[in-house]
């Protein structure tokens, strides 16, 4: 079990333990993870464009493998290899992924996910990180680089190194904050860090001349739709004050082998409505857009049972609108959106989410 | 907050809730106020209001705070904020935790929740408070949470439950019962979240007091109209079947043509009418003591309801029986298999098996079929049968016992035919018996036969399925049963004479027959045994007592003419002080301890009760002792023993 040193004040031990037990059960059934890559439309800092998404199969997120069980909402750990992955193997994973794409058209961004932290030396050894970033740096088509990490791995020297290698390219460190409310982080998500840790990491990144992207989770477990909306908006306002560049709303997707899946199966949870996403985007565009360069939302499994969805009739239409809003960074696409289910009552489920 | 329980029917109750000077009768329905219901029509969600308000029709407001305020503000601040809002009851902010906590972790989390609730009471001094009963999927957790909250003084408990589990009757039923067991009997239970009106009767039967209108709104938003027994999309309704104010103004087609907003309002208003009428119907049923029958009727609305009641009857008989009155004035109607294990019926069978012993010095037992008219002896058939028995036995009639076999009561000895429910049940009679009925009855009859002396002769004057039962019993108990020769009907001349002859054959050589007087005393002792337990008959009615009928009342007097007891209309004894004294050796049985100074008026209130026999059921006769162990009164219980001790208000015993 890899070593983690979280501040115990930020952990609800009972909650963490119940996640841990579930995690152990599912890890035992684990099959080997593989790297994945795809390309899709995205909002870049320079305007609409596309992004390459590369998912590297590393040994897995340190937090999820720890005795604290990881986050209640995250099942990316099951995509990992769960064993030592050498630097050369990671580099070849990356090369193979990049070979898949021919005739790329700029503007182009690249996003590297490791199902954990790209800056964690245990997951991505130093040489591998260097080599991958060098490869990206050499590719002139790519103008924008994003990778994901937990805030505890954000260190001055590491960021400086990345900035040096990627010279000239727009470079963003993505941190899955999920919420700016520490109680939600502790008692709903089991995140293991606080908003303050996020702020500290942000300061480090900014000092080294790079940028921060914050992921905000839409609808953590135990919250009603209304409470989740409220939390997302206040989180967005909070992070915008810290001076980050990008806010990305991540509506819940129910991963296999997570606590949220169990809650969902037992009727304690429903993924958010697309109407909620619309509302959140509208509000945050109004209240936080001036402080950040972009606000995006790309629902995974949108319209499906396990992802954010509406009644089934209007899902496609609303999803398209949300995509357009992310891409164009204006709310015009939301005009004239209408469906019967829009009137379904949000507040109704407020007690239900309680256990 | 005051919550006065006025009437019980099973665990269900009619009560009056008083909050902040406003009163409402329960069971009731809390509505989400119009401002909340309609706030979404503009597409705007009202997220700025952190708290939600629920309103009852009579204007009672419940305020539910936003769950996660706790981080940014402390409890005091939240409390001050809520106090400024104009509500009658404030819900303590719940401590949110994973529903999968077990054992220690669960206990710890619940303790934390209760601690917040405790502090909450101090924060909002002077206001009424409510709290959530948390505990996830764990029954013991919910029970523990309810217990702890009640200890802290909470009497308004809110239940949350995922709707999808409403379709899991086993979980729902275990969960509700264990929660109810944890809560103090006179605490109000509010089942929050979308519950459809078809569930109301069953849930109220278990002891839920209020629901909210969320299911009505939800279905109205989806264009679903709720009717008494079904839910239909409005565009599929061909003909109007409802005559509520809405439906008599608009036909279904017209509703369908309305614009979105109007359609929703119209359907909601209709749904609301239906839900209210359903609740009113249930209130009426409780008032007349026929909720069980209503629940059995509603059973057929869905398989999960049927399963719910079955599981309830089989797994939680003790819980149901505890609150089920031992008498009522209306007939008990048993339509189908769901009645076999109704608590009233099941209790009768159990008590006959456990408390009843056959009459003294019997020589012959005659097994008879039941009659449609109750009590049996008033029916034509039984009159004829008894006449034949009498003329067969001549002066030895006192040595003959009669027992009636019937479904679903099993057996009814003649002595108990006036006792509820034997005196007032009604069943469909076809002569066709189901396997389960046969099994139940055979078991009851075997247990009776096993109690008989070896040399007692058993005669059965029955046919069809009843004969079959006797044959099963014969095999089971190895006791020979003589069958009469039935030709044609049971009451045909030939059949009757066969009965007469058989009886005369077996009684002709009898000697040492009881005198009619001692037989009469023994007869009434059996009722006492049934009522107060084995052995109490000999205590209450002594050999030199007189049993007389006076102004249509059956009285027990001692030889000086002092009244000991009289029979009530439902066949159980009402005691006088002297009668109570005689039962003194029963000890704590049917005993209530009063710890006040002096009893005034004709009721003993639950506040004054320091101990009550947990065996006491509503309508049971009980003896009231003061702190110095002196009998001070007797009376009829209005609640069950446990409730008398735990409840802080309401009439415990009617003197």
């Amino acid at each position: 079990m890899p070593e983690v040193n979280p501040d115990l004040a930020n952990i609800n031990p009972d909650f963490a333990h119940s996640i841990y037990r579930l995690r152990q059960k599912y890890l035992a059934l684990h099959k080997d993870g593989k790297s994945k890559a795809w390309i899709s439309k995205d909002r870049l800092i320079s305007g609409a464009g596309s992004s390459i998404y590369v998912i590297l199969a590393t040994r897995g997120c340190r937090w999820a493998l720890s005795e604290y069980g990881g986050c209640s909402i995250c099942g990316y750990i099951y995509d990992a290899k769960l064993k030592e992955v050498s630097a050369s193997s990671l580099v070849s994973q990356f090369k193979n992924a990049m070979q898949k794409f021919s005739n790329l058209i700029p503007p182009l961004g690249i996003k590297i996910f490791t199902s954990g932290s790209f800056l964690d030396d245990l997951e991505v050894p130093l040489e591998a990180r260097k080599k991958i970033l060098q490869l990206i740096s050499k590719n002139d088509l790519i103008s924008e680089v994003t990778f994901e990490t937990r805030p505890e791995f954000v260190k001055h020297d590491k960021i400086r190194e990345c900035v040096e290698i990627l010279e000239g390219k727009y470079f963003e460190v993505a941190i899955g904050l999920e919420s700016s409310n520490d109680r939600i982080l502790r008692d709903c998500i089991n995140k293991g860090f606080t908003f303050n840790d996020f702020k500290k990491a942000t300061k480090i990144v900014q000092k080294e001349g790079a940028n921060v992207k914050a992921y905000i989770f839409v609808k953590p477990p135990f919250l009603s739709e209304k409470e989740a909306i409220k939390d997302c908006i206040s989180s967005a306002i909070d992070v915008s004050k810290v001076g980050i560049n990008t806010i990305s709303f991540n509506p819940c997707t129910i991963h296999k082998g997570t606590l949220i899946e169990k809650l969902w199966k037992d009727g304690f949870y429903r993924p958010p409505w697309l109407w909620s996403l619309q509302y959140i985007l509208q509000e945050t565009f109004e209240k936080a857009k001036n402080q950040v360069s972009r606000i995006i939302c790309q629902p995974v499994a949108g319209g499906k049972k396990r992802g954010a969805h509406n009644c089934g009739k209007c899902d496609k239409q609303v999803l398209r609108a949300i995509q357009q809003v992310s891409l164009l960074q204006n709310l015009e696409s939301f005009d004239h959106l209408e469906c019967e289910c829009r009137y379904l009552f949000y507040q109704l489920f407020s007690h239900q989410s309680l256990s | 907050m005051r919550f006065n329980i006025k009437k019980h029917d099973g665990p269900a109750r009619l009560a009056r809730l008083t909050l902040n000077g406003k009163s409402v009768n329960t069971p009731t329905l809390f509505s989400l106020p119009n401002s909340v219901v309609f706030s979404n029509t503009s597409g705007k969600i009202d997220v700025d209001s952190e708290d939600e308000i629920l309103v009852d029709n009579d204007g009672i407001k419940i305020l539910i705070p936003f769950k996660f305020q706790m981080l940014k503000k402390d409890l005091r601040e939240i409390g001050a904020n809520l106090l400024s809002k104009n509500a009658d009851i404030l819900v303590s902010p719940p401590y949110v935790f994973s529903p999968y906590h077990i054992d220690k972790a669960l206990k710890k989390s619940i303790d934390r929740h209760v601690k917040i609730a405790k502090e909450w009471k101090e924060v909002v001094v002077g206001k009424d408070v409510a709290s959530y009963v948390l505990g996830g999927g764990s029954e013991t957790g919910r029970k523990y949470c309810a217990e702890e909250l009640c200890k802290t003084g909470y009497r308004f408990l809110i239940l949350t439950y995922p709707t999808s589990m409403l379709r899991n009757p086993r979980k729902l039923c275990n969960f509700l019962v264990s929660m109810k067991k944890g809560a103090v009997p006179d605490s109000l239970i509010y089942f929050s979240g979308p519950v459809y009106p078809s569930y109301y009767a069953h849930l109220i039967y278990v002891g839920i007091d209020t629901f909210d209108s969320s299911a009505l709104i939800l279905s109205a938003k989806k264009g679903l109209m709720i009717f008494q027994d079904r839910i239909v999309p409005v565009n599929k309704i061909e003909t109007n079947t409802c005559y509520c104010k809405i439906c008599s103004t608009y036909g279904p087609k017209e509703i369908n043509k309305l614009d979105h907003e109007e359609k929703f309002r119209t359907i909601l208003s209709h749904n609301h009418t239906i839900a209210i009428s359903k609740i009113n119907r249930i209130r009426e049923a409780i008032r007349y003591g026929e909720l069980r029958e209503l629940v059995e009727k509603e059973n057929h609305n869905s398989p999960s309801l049927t399963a719910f009641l079955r599981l309830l009857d089989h797994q939680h008989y003790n819980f149901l029986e505890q609150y089920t009155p031992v008498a009522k004035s209306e007939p008990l109607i048993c339509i189908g298999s769901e009645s076999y294990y109704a608590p009233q019926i099941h209790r009768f069978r159990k008590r006959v098996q456990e408390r009843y012993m056959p009459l003294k010095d019997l020589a012959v037992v005659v097994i008879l079929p039941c009659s449609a008219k109750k009590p049996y002896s008033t029916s034509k058939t039984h009159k004829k049968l008894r006449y034949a028995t009498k003329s067969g036995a001549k002066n030895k009639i006192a040595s003959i016992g009669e027992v009636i076999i019937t479904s679903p009561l099993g057996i009814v000895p003649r002595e108990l035919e006036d006792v509820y429910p034997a005196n007032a049940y009604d069943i469909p009679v076809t002569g066709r018996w189901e396997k389960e009925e046969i099994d139940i009855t055979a078991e009851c009859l075997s247990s009776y036969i096993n109690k008989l002396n070896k040399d007692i002769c058993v005669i059965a004057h029955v046919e069809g399925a009843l004969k079959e039962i006797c044959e099963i019993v014969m095999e089971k108990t190895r006791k020979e049963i003589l069958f009469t020769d039935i030709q044609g009907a049971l009451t045909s001349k030939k059949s009757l004479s066969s009965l007469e002859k058989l009886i005369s054959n077996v009684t002709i050589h009898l000697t040492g027959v009881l005198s009619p007087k001692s037989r009469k005393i023994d007869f009434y002792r059996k009722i006492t045994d049934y009522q107060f337990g084995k052995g109490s008959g000999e205590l209450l009615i002594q050999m030199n007592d007189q049993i007389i009928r006076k102004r249509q009342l059956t009285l027990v007097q001692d030889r000086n003419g002092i009244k000991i007891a009289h029979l009530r209309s439902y066949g159980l004894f009402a005691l006088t002080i002297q009668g109570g004294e005689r039962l003194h050796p029963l000890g704590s049985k049917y005993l209530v301890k009063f710890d006040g100074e002096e009893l005034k008026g004709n009721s003993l209130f639950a506040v004054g009760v320091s101990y009550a026999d947990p065996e006491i059921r509503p309508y049971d006769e009980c003896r009231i002792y003061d702190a110095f162990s002196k009998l001070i009164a007797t009376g009829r219980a209005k609640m069950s023993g446990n409730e008398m001790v735990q409840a802080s208000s309401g009439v415990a015993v009617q003197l």
Side-chain angles (χ1 to χ4, degrees), chain B residues 70 75-76 90-95 110-127 129-132 144-145 147-154:
Chain B
M70 300 283 291
L75 209 55
R76 238 153 255 293
L90 305 175
V91 181
S92 80
Y95 178 76
I110 293 174
D111 285 340
R112 222 166 272 169
H113 174 66
V114 175
K115 200 177 146 224
I116 295 175
K118 212 180 236 170
E119 287 168 14
W120 184 247
K121 279 192 88 174
E122 288 154 20
V123 168
V124 293
V125 169
K127 274 277 182 183
V129 285
S131 183
Y132 286 101
Y144 176 69
C145 187
E147 262 169 22
E148 291 297 306
L149 284 171
C150 285
K151 272 186 210 159
T152 327
Y154 278 81

Side-chain angles (χ1 to χ4, degrees), chain B residues 143 169 172 243 265 268 270 275 309 328 334 354 373 604:
Chain B
K143 186 177 172 201
L172 180 65
Y243 290 92
R265 278 170 193 266
L268 178 61
H270 161 86
L309 188 66
K328 75 171 189 180
C334 313
E354 287 164 7
K373 196 166 179 199
L604 164 62

